[in-house]
Amino acid sequence: DAASGAAGALLPGGAARCGKSRGGHRRRSPDDARRVEEDARRRREACIRAAVDANTCAFYLPHKNRCCRLAATSDSQYCGAHQSPENDKHEQGTSNSNGQVAERQSKQKRRRVPCPLDPSHTIYEDEVQKHVLVCPSNKHRQEAQPWYRQGINRLGDASKGSGEHQVPTLDDVRVMLRNVEACFAADTSASAAPTEVDVPPEAGRILSTTSTSSQNEPTDARMDAQRLAIASHMRQAGMLPPPCEMAERCYPCVEVGAGRGYLAHACYVLGSRALVLVERRAYRFKAERFMGKQETENISLVRARGDAADVDIGFVLKTQLPPSTQGERVAVCGKHLCGVATDHALVAASRLAETEAPKSAVGVGVGRLSGVAIATCCHHACSYDEFVGVGYLREKIFPPTHMNSVARECGLFECLKRVSSWAVDGSSGQHGGAPQPPTPPILPAKRVAEDEAEAEAECNVRVTAPSTIADVLREVSRELAPARRLELGTMIKWVLDEARRRWCEATLGNGAHANVVKYVSSEVSPENRLLLVKY
């Protein structure tokens, strides 16, 4: 008819004559969009008015189409979680029929500002000075602890310099990776299967206690298996008591980077009755709730809050543990100590080995140290300035040069630690298990000469050389298949741990035997290397 024809003439396309698009859906006009926005705004304002009338938080949650249901504070229309300067501005423009908002605005003289120590939370502006004294992020609270000694567990090698690095050449990186392959292939233990240990009869307590304690328990079977394996290696190395001696000695243990303390709990189950947990953060669901439940269990447990680099473990052992433990040697342990934290723990262990033991000291060891068991992790977070095994890298890994410099070594180390992340970045689609060394040798002399010739030709043709370490590694990565990157990353992790192992044997006293063992399979964890030092 004429009416529909006139209406259709106003719309593009014949398919729109009935008010629908070619897909069969009604086309939304600008008026419809404005109407929807207006309806949404009215619903939001109605929800906010209802929340203000009910004295609940007026913060609107768009994905739930309602306001927060927590109670509002006495001086605001928002709860403590949703108070912010932005919300305060919105509050200034809202009102309700009962005048509650106006009354609150008249009372509200306090403004919330971000915490100067940690902007992730806000505080009242007039309580800033009071809050910084109790804020968990306050470094001064850690410095006020009696065991705080700034940098006591840092290596402190002045010969390393400030850590400024020089971007290495592609040739140097290629030679360095070939040196890594050669060292890995020369060590038959590098590709060995996980070391089997006897599972102690007390293992049931480790697994059952943590798995049935709470539905919110932050643990799983893989974590339990790793803790049990580490504790079993410690018992086998003499750092924890055999079953026949569990009631005679304390066998003190120090867990560095303890977190919630479940490795310390495994040591407690296997007989340790004096525990020191070093951790810089605060956690819920700590393992202490499972320790010392029975009156017959005489356990001493201390949490030393602070960074592993700044906690004087010797002072904690001397002043915080009872006198009955002073005549015993101490084991240092840790599970997945990230990067430089492992080096801090090893330096702390060396300080214990240098400490003069009392004449009544019992147990095998040097000084006050009975052994070390640290599961390494996150090698990409290592630091050249604090890495304990730079001497081994300088001797075996870094390309030789007539003019060696700290900046050059720092740049090569930076490349080395970044490539280590290829073992666990998932780009190969495999778990980060250790590769088997190929046979025949990885790079014959002829192949090495060909590669060097090709690299030299490429450098001659290249217009601009890589200007950053990221550019260098990007060029190297393009030359490698994903499976090859996985192999190289795993080899570098082994090389860094081997450097630490050799440092331990040279530093932790006569009779120290250090090994890097695979304490679990790569299916349980790709970070399955345990640095084990025993006497």
Side-chain angles (χ1 to χ4, degrees), residues 399-423:
T401 180
H402 65 281
M403 191 173 145
N404 206 1
S405 67
V406 173
R408 176 179 179 271
E409 287 186 355
C410 187
L412 291 170
F413 184 85
E414 187 72 19
C415 288
L416 200 67
K417 72 174 190 177
R418 292 193 190 187
V419 174
S420 70
S421 64
W422 290 353

Side-chain angles (χ1 to χ4, degrees), residues 154-163 384-387 394 406:
R154 298 183 187 276
L155 190 59
D157 189 352
S159 65
K160 290 185 178 181
S162 62
Y384 172 81
D385 293 338
E386 302 181 57
F387 186 70
R394 187 179 294 132
V406 173

Side-chain angles (χ1 to χ4, degrees), residues 153-155 256 307-309 339-349 386 388:
N153 295 326
R154 298 183 187 276
L155 190 59
V256 183
D307 194 284
V340 71
T342 296
D343 301 301
H344 294 158
L346 293 178
V347 174
E386 302 181 57
V388 296

Side-chain angles (χ1 to χ4, degrees), residues 115-117 121 123 127-136 138:
C115 172
L117 301 177
H121 62 278
I123 53 176
E127 292 184 353
V128 171
Q129 295 182 353
K130 178 181 177 181
H131 171 80
V132 295
L133 299 177
V134 297
C135 180
N138 191 348

Side-chain angles (χ1 to χ4, degrees), residues 66-123:
R66 64 172 177 81
C67 290
C68 171
R69 292 172 179 170
L70 296 179
T73 58
S74 59
D75 54 358
S76 173
Q77 68 182 42
Y78 298 101
C79 65
H82 290 130
Q83 290 184 12
S84 67
E86 291 77 11
N87 290 340
D88 292 341
K89 292 178 182 178
H90 292 138
E91 184 175 353
Q92 301 295 330
T94 57
S95 60
N96 69 329
S97 57
N98 296 330
Q100 294 182 6
V101 176
E103 181 181 354
R104 285 180 185 171
Q105 291 177 358
S106 63
K107 293 181 179 179
Q108 186 173 4
K109 300 178 181 179
R110 309 172 74 190
R111 190 169 67 94
R112 295 188 71 87
V113 296
C115 172
L117 301 177
D118 183 4
S120 65
H121 62 278
T122 60
I123 53 176

Side-chain angles (χ1 to χ4, degrees), residues 123-352:
I123 53 176
Y124 286 115
E125 188 175 26
D126 57 349
E127 292 184 353
V128 171
Q129 295 182 353
K130 178 181 177 181
H131 171 80
V132 295
L133 299 177
V134 297
C135 180
S137 302
N138 191 348
K139 181 70 175 176
H140 297 291
R141 292 186 65 196
Q142 298 182 16
E143 295 175 356
Q145 300 295 337
W147 51 72
Y148 178 83
R149 306 286 186 276
Q150 183 176 3
I152 191 172
N153 295 326
R154 298 183 187 276
L155 190 59
D157 189 352
S159 65
K160 290 185 178 181
S162 62
E164 297 180 358
H165 63 261
Q166 171 186 329
V167 178
T169 64
L170 280 170
D171 289 345
D172 282 346
V173 174
R174 292 189 183 106
V175 172
M176 181 173 64
L177 295 180
R178 284 198 290 266
N179 292 341
V180 168
E181 290 181 303
C183 291
F184 183 87
D187 194 322
T188 56
S189 65
S191 57
T195 304
E196 300 255 343
V197 289
D198 296 331
V199 178
E202 301 87 354
R205 285 186 62 190
I206 299 177
L207 301 177
S208 62
T209 303
T210 58
S211 62
T212 61
S213 59
S214 169
Q215 63 178 358
N216 295 322
E217 187 58 51
T219 184
D220 57 29
R222 294 188 305 161
M223 297 294 182
D224 289 334
Q226 294 175 64
R227 288 189 284 264
L228 174 59
I230 295 173
S232 300
H233 276 286
M234 293 176 66
R235 169 176 277 189
Q236 193 176 68
M239 290 178 257
L240 293 176
C244 59
E245 296 184 9
M246 289 186 66
E248 298 179 5
R249 291 171 49 194
C250 292
Y251 284 85
C253 291
V254 177
E255 184 183 1
V256 183
R260 296 180 175 91
Y262 282 94
L263 177 57
H265 172 261
C267 297
Y268 156 77
V269 171
L270 296 192
S272 177
R273 289 298 177 267
L275 298 166
V276 175
L277 283 69
V278 179
E279 175 55 50
R280 62 183 178 181
R281 289 180 54 194
Y283 284 91
R284 299 174 62 194
F285 305 113
K286 293 190 286 288
E288 286 91 316
R289 52 198 175 136
F290 302 130
M291 304 184 200
K293 293 286 187 178
Q294 302 176 12
E295 295 180 359
T296 57
E297 294 178 335
N298 184 18
I299 178 174
S300 302
L301 189 146
V302 177
R303 267 194 178 266
R305 180 81 179 273
D307 194 284
D310 304 323
V311 175
D312 187 349
I313 294 177
F315 179 87
V316 176
L317 295 171
K318 185 176 180 179
T319 61
Q320 305 297 317
L321 293 183
S324 59
T325 65
Q326 300 305 314
E328 296 199 39
R329 291 189 168 93
V330 183
V332 176
C333 62
K335 175 181 172 291
H336 285 174
L337 276 178
C338 292
V340 71
T342 296
D343 301 301
H344 294 158
L346 293 178
V347 174
S350 70
R351 291 177 57 83
L352 292 177

